[in-house]
């Protein structure tokens, strides 16, 4: 946890209720330990969708479809979402949830490894995305980045979740479990890259599990 729990609870208490289908899906995800976007991240995404009014959303990391369905509730009518997931156990549920949600006709699920799919999408030149939500394997973010930047429209926004890793990213890699050290190193590399690339403007926001917003200069 990055921010004091009382503050999070207070901020979340100001939020309205989710539509019933999303509330039920959120409860299922929390019950089954599926890592979905936190309430604070939901609010940020909803705000950004209202501000940017995107036409094409790309999500990397669908899990069971919660965040894609969440975004479909608050995106403009003429917007579409493409979301990527590779784990079969998650895909089984994502297929059902995404095909039965109110905006199912606006959401496409691409099945497979995001690294391969992103490379294919970037090569096809079928159109750029003005809203990209990156929420997949943390150690892979740095590998996804070149493809994502090709797919991001000039005035588009890249939202990356879980960048502060419960705050552990700020400490030494030796202060965390050995098995988490690769993620720590690679996430730091990702954060350094997106905050230092000449052509990018990035802000790191300590809400949820840490979110960055990136756009092209
Ligand atoms: C944090 S969960 C996504 C949660 C979802 N965005 C939500 O908030 O409802 C991350 C998901 O990314 C998927 N994932 C991780 N690495 C991936 C990859 N290389 N290609 C496709 N999916 C991947 C995982 O299987 C997992 O379901």
């Amino acid at each position: 946890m990055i921010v004091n729990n009382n503050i999070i609870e207070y901020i979340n208490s100001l939020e309205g209720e989710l539509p019933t289908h999303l509330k039920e899906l959120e409860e299922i995800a929390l019950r089954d330990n599926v890592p979905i976007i936190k309430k604070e991240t939901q609010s940020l995404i909803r705000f950004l969708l209202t501000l940017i009014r995107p036409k094409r959303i790309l999500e990397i990391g669908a899990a069971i479809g919660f965040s894609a369905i969440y975004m479909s509730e608050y995106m403009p009518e003429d917007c579409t979402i493409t979301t990527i997931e590779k784990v079969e156990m998650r895909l089984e549920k994502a297929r059902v949830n995404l095909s039965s949600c109110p905006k199912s006709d606006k959401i496409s699920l691409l099945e497979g490894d995001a690294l391969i799919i992103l490379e294919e999408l970037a090569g096809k030149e079928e159109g750029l995305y003005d809203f990209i939500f990156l929420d997949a394997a943390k150690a892979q973010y740095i590998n996804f980045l070149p493809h994502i930047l090709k797919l991001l429209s000039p005035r588009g926004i890249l939202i990356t979740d879980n960048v502060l890793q419960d705050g552990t990213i700020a400490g030494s890699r030796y202060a965390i479990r050995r098995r988490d050290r690769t993620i720590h190193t690679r996430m730091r590399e990702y954060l350094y890259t997106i905050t230092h690339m000449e052509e990018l403007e990035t802000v790191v926001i300590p809400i949820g599990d840490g979110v960055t917003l990136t756009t092209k200069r």
Side-chain angles (χ1 to χ4, degrees):
M1 186 162 314
I2 302 165
V3 179
N4 179 307
N5 218 0
N6 290 336
I7 297 174
I8 295 173
E9 276 174 22
Y10 172 67
I11 295 172
N12 289 345
S13 76
L14 299 172
E15 280 290 311
E17 288 278 307
L18 287 171
T20 311
H21 63 286
L22 272 168
K23 196 169 183 312
E24 284 171 5
L25 194 54
E26 185 182 48
E27 281 166 9
I28 289 168
L30 296 176
R31 183 198 68 197
D32 295 346
N33 290 320
V34 178
I36 59 164
I37 44 169
K38 295 190 171 151
K39 285 267 178 221
E40 313 87 278
T41 315
Q42 292 174 26
S43 314
L44 177 67
I45 287 177
R46 196 182 64 236
F47 175 84
L48 291 170
L49 288 169
T50 310
L51 180 73
I52 294 162
R53 307 198 60 74
K55 292 264 188 283
R56 281 165 58 87
I57 298 175
L58 175 64
E59 175 182 69
I60 302 125
I64 61 170
F66 176 82
S67 52
I69 299 172
Y70 181 87
M71 290 190 283
S72 73
E73 277 299 313
Y74 303 103
M75 69 189 190
E77 270 301 310
D78 58 350
C79 183
T80 56
I81 302 179
T82 300
T83 183
I84 306 172
E85 176 57 54
K86 75 166 180 184
V87 174
E88 185 51 38
M89 194 176 66
R90 299 260 162 88
L91 278 167
E92 276 170 24
K93 293 186 176 139
R95 286 180 202 120
V96 174
N97 295 331
L98 293 172
S99 61
S100 59
C101 77
K103 307 267 173 63
S104 58
D105 57 325
K106 303 278 172 95
I107 310 175
S108 316
L109 175 64
L110 300 183
E111 304 186 6
D113 192 320
L115 194 56
I116 297 166
I117 292 175
L118 287 171
E119 195 174 355
E120 284 170 2
L121 289 175
K124 275 186 191 157
E125 293 182 4
E126 274 182 1
L128 302 176
Y129 295 86
D130 45 4
F131 198 99
I132 301 185
F133 180 47
L134 175 54
D135 189 21
K138 318 308 161 204
Q140 293 245 57
Y141 284 6
I142 190 73
N143 300 330
F144 295 152
L145 188 62
H147 307 303
I148 287 175
L149 293 181
K150 275 190 201 150
L151 290 163
L152 186 66
S153 70
R155 297 189 59 79
I157 186 166
L158 164 64
I159 300 125
T160 309
D161 200 11
N162 308 112
V163 295
L164 295 179
Q165 300 280 288
D166 251 341
T168 58
I169 205 77
S172 159
R173 73 192 290 270
Y174 297 107
I176 56 173
R177 286 176 306 190
R178 188 176 283 270
R179 66 166 193 238
D180 293 332
R181 287 182 192 162
T182 304
I183 296 181
H184 182 276
T185 304
R186 305 201 79 194
M187 184 59 85
R188 276 198 168 200
E189 194 186 343
Y190 177 76
L191 280 172
Y192 187 88
T193 305
I194 57 171
T195 51
H196 287 77
M197 274 177 80
E198 269 295 304
E199 60 268 45
L200 300 181
E201 186 64 49
T202 293
V203 59
V204 185
I205 309 179
I207 64 159
D209 197 19
V211 177
T212 52
L213 306 182
T214 301
T215 192
K216 292 178 177 168
R217 286 186 209 263

